[in-house]
Amino acid sequence: MRAHPSFARSALLAQRAQLMRAELNPAEAALWAALRSKQLGVSFRRQVPLLGRFIADFYAPAVRLVVEVDGSWHRGRESADAARDRKLVRAGYRVLRLRAELVLSELPVAVARVREAVAELGH
């Protein structure tokens, strides 16, 4: 008996997210150090599967905030990223995109943007 395609896809997505958690890039690692342990008043999780097809870099379930760190991999993918963001927003998530360069060169500014988004969402 074969597994249902959506189950197989979810399992693959969860496996990929687990691998990504073990291999944070420098910008993600820097931001994670500032977000972990409820430092902004809410819990964040990293590399979280959402909607059965996306992996969010960081996610705060209490306020449904998705934080994406866009590095060089995202160049040329702006329209795909925008379509992904629209799907997440329609599902009730708020998406905040931060450039990796900002996170690495001005971490306090990046953290302030996340803090503002958390505050706007009522926490």
Side-chain angles (χ1 to χ4, degrees):
M1 181 175 191
R2 297 184 83 181
H4 188 276
S6 63
F7 176 78
R9 183 180 183 138
S10 293
L12 183 62
L13 198 65
Q15 182 180 30
R16 180 169 164 82
Q18 184 177 17
L19 289 172
M20 291 171 73
R21 280 191 293 275
E23 300 175 4
L24 290 178
N25 66 46
E28 291 170 342
L31 189 57
W32 178 239
L35 298 180
R36 66 186 305 164
S37 303
K38 290 189 174 184
Q39 292 180 70
L40 300 185
V42 295
S43 292
F44 277 88
R45 295 172 38 208
R46 59 190 169 110
Q47 305 302 339
V48 179
L50 295 174
L51 302 181
R53 59 212 263 203
F54 305 120
I55 297 175
D57 290 339
F58 302 99
Y59 176 56
V63 292
R64 296 183 60 88
L65 175 64
V66 173
V67 179
E68 292 292 322
V69 178
D70 292 345
S72 61
W73 188 84
H74 289 269
R75 287 190 189 102
R77 291 189 37 86
E78 291 83 5
S79 64
D81 286 344
R84 177 184 187 266
D85 292 354
R86 284 191 300 275
K87 290 174 185 170
L88 288 167
V89 168
R90 278 196 303 270
Y93 298 95
R94 160 100 188 266
V95 180
L96 173 64
R97 289 191 171 274
L98 301 170
R99 293 188 47 196
E101 295 85 6
L102 174 71
V103 174
L104 290 171
S105 65
E106 299 182 61
L107 182 61
V109 173
V111 172
R113 289 185 184 170
V114 176
R115 183 178 283 113
E116 289 168 10
V118 168
E120 287 173 11
L121 294 168
H123 222 284

